[in-house]
Amino acid sequence: MKDRINGMLAEVAQAELTSPEAVEAFRVAYLGRKGKIKDLMAAFKEVPGDQKRELGPMLNTLKQAVEQKVQDAQQATVVRPQASGEDATRPSGGVPLGTHHPLQVVRREIVDIFQNMGFAVAEGPEIEDDWHVFSGLNFPPEHPARDMQDTFFVERDPDILLRTHTSSVQVREMEHRDPPMRLIMPGRVFRNEAISARAHCMFHQIEGLYIDKGVSFADLKQTLLHFARCFFGPDTDIRLRPSYFPFTEPSAEVDVYWGLKTEVDKRITKGTGWLEILGCGMVDPNVLKASGIDPEVYSGFAFGMGIERITMLRYQIGDLRHFFENDRRFLDQFAGER
Ligand code: DAH
């Protein structure tokens, strides 16, 4: 028995276990249910008691040697992926880059054009009172825009409401600035409209205001022509059609010549080649007076345009709802736009 144990100790020490399969075969041969250690244990039971005292610890040493051998060999032969030189602690998966929203891209471009002409940016609150949205802008008391059908009210009497246009910012600025002033005022506006491909209860406008001594309609027209040529291209033509707004007199709507080259051109310009892009006019003396500016000394022009409309023209977007749905399939198309 003693010789068997010593023989096996030597065998174990010499065994070369170079693959996971060899380690497993070795483990089964020694430690398995029908393995060599089990055999020895069975034989050990039969030896006379006086020999057990010597053989017991030898058997234990053998068993531990086998277990240690298996453990070491298992660690040594673990199949590791080939080191690739990459940092294994790096978080997995790319972090997708966001994109600029097309409305922001166009807003920034429009604001930049006016800033280059000396206009400063101003902003005002989205929740407004009646004065800044309507009364201060010369809206008569019975004007339909004051109706619940068109305007979201937060409170009644006194009326607190979501602004329906950025013209409210004109009033705020005229109240606390002294002329001359040249301002460009982008912002979000709200109207009580059913949501469709062409209308939404929330959209964006950019308002412009220029007040100084001797500002004329010619200044207005030239400023808007310059804007149109910067934005739509150097050959762009515009036309002004008479219109009406309570806060300007005279008032006009501005069209750009879009062309009639394709079927799409014919459809979006209703066969005329012209597209309306904004409303404008000379600031009504009543509006100047209401904000504390003397209309005998100063005059000014104002204009307002919808950012969604201009963005839809620029990128040929057919449905307004895309702007507010945050669908990556839509937004990702503007990757790279700034
Ligand atoms: N506030 C008008 C609208 O929401 C747009 C507008 C028209 C603004 C003429 C102006 C303007 O400043 O002079 O439809």
Side-chain angles (χ1 to χ4, degrees), residues 164-165 167 170 191 205 207-208 245 247-248 279-281 302-304:
T164 57
H165 54 182
S167 304
Q170 283 188 31
R191 283 184 204 174
Q205 289 186 332
E207 191 81 12
F245 301 101
F247 36 91
T248 44
C280 65
F303 58 87

Side-chain angles (χ1 to χ4, degrees), residues 106-175:
V106 168
R107 175 189 123 136
R108 195 174 309 127
E109 201 174 319
I110 296 171
V111 168
D112 278 353
I113 293 170
F114 283 101
Q115 278 186 316
N116 286 339
M117 285 190 261
F119 285 70
V121 176
E123 284 181 287
E126 292 175 358
I127 299 176
E128 268 291 8
D129 50 28
D130 173 275
W131 173 257
H132 292 94
V133 178
F134 297 127
S135 299
L137 286 164
N138 202 33
F139 277 78
E142 70 285 1
H143 194 282
R146 293 166 174 266
D147 197 330
M148 297 267 283
Q149 305 251 285
D150 297 294
T151 301
F152 290 115
F153 288 88
V154 179
E155 278 169 33
R156 303 299 312 243
D157 282 333
D159 289 347
I160 302 294
L161 43 99
L162 300 183
R163 66 181 178 194
T164 57
H165 54 182
T166 45
S167 304
S168 56
V169 189
Q170 283 188 31
V171 179
R172 287 199 172 267
E173 294 300 321
M174 284 189 285
E175 279 169 351

Side-chain angles (χ1 to χ4, degrees), residues 235-289:
D235 302 325
T236 304
D237 280 326
I238 63 170
R239 72 178 183 188
L240 280 74
R241 281 179 292 105
S243 183
Y244 174 79
F245 301 101
F247 36 91
T248 44
E249 180 60 34
S251 304
E253 279 168 325
V254 175
D255 300 341
V256 293
Y257 190 70
W258 186 258
L260 273 176
K261 290 193 272 306
T262 67
E263 280 308 309
V264 177
D265 295 345
K266 282 181 200 148
R267 185 165 47 77
I268 62 178
T269 68
K270 300 193 180 89
T272 65
W274 292 95
L275 273 177
E276 185 201 323
I277 56 159
L278 58 82
C280 65
M282 300 306 292
V283 180
D284 193 293
N286 286 338
V287 172
L288 293 175
K289 235 184 287 170

